[in-house]
């Protein structure tokens, strides 16, 4: 299988993808307080995009659910102080189920997949703002780039920044010199 960039690709083994999913979620979380590393979400989204390439629906839902879980458990941990650990876990799992909707699309290392991934990622963020219980808008990628992309916020807002960050994941994966391409080549 050759993609637009001319690089031969294959689907990664599921255990590698489970690891990438967990790491992806942790890196997405690292963009928020207390770490606030604005580069981490770009890497996290690239790992998630790479893990989803050429996967069947069951694997895509597993990968996105685990990425969501490793993202929402630390992100929402503060709520356990106020409501206890059981509601915190239920909320994190519920948000992860919504996050797993990102797995609906079959992705390839092509720009069309990148646009669909970024659009669906952004739609899922908007859905999480409305559901459950009136929504939980925190945890949007757009909030991680306040310092680095501040000049863009007046023009495209939080939603536009989320779209751009999720779209950048493709460009990291598509770069021929990227470690993400080398991960794929190791399993050809």
């Amino acid at each position: 299988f050759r993609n637009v960039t001319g690089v031969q690709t294959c689907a990664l083994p599921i255990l590698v993808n489970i690891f990438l999913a967990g790491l992806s979620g942790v890196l997405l979380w690292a963009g928020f307080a207390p770490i606030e590393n604005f580069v981490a979400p770009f890497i996290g989204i690239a790992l998630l995009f790479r893990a989803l390439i050429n996967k069947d629906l069951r694997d895509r839902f597993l990968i996105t659910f685990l990425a969501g879980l490793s993202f929402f458990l630390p992100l929402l941990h503060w709520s356990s102080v106020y409501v206890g650990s059981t509601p915190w876990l239920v909320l994190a799992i519920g948000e992860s189920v919504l996050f797993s909707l990102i797995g609906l699309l079959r992705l390839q290392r092509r720009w069309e997949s990148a646009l669909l991934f970024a659009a669906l990622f952004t739609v899922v963020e908007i859905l999480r703002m409305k559901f459950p219980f009136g929504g939980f808008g925190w945890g949007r990628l757009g909030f991680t780039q306040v310092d680095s992309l501040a000049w863009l916020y007046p023009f495209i807002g939080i939603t536009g920044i989320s779209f751009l960050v999720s779209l950048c994941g493709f460009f990291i994966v598509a770069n021929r010199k990227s470690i993400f391409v080398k991960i794929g080549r190791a399993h050809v």
Side-chain angles (χ1 to χ4, degrees), residues 7-10 12 16 19-20 23 27 42-44 46-47 50-51 53 109 169-187:
V7 175
Q8 189 170 355
T9 62
C10 70
L12 296 175
V16 173
F19 173 76
L20 292 178
L23 185 57
L27 288 169
F42 289 100
I43 298 168
L47 287 173
R50 178 63 184 107
I53 292 174
R109 193 180 299 162
F170 166 76
F171 295 109
I172 294 170
V173 170
N175 180 349
R176 287 179 185 253
K177 295 180 182 176
S178 169
I179 190 164
F180 303 107
V181 172
K182 292 174 182 157
I183 290 170
R185 284 184 185 156
H187 298 286

Side-chain angles (χ1 to χ4, degrees), residues 22-37 40-41 44-45 67-78 139 141 144:
L23 185 57
S24 167
V26 170
L27 288 169
L28 292 174
W29 166 71
F32 295 92
I35 299 172
E36 296 180 359
N37 181 330
I45 206 73
L69 205 56
S70 64
F71 173 51
F72 288 111
L73 283 173
L75 182 74
L76 301 175
H77 185 263
W78 63 269
L141 287 183
T144 65

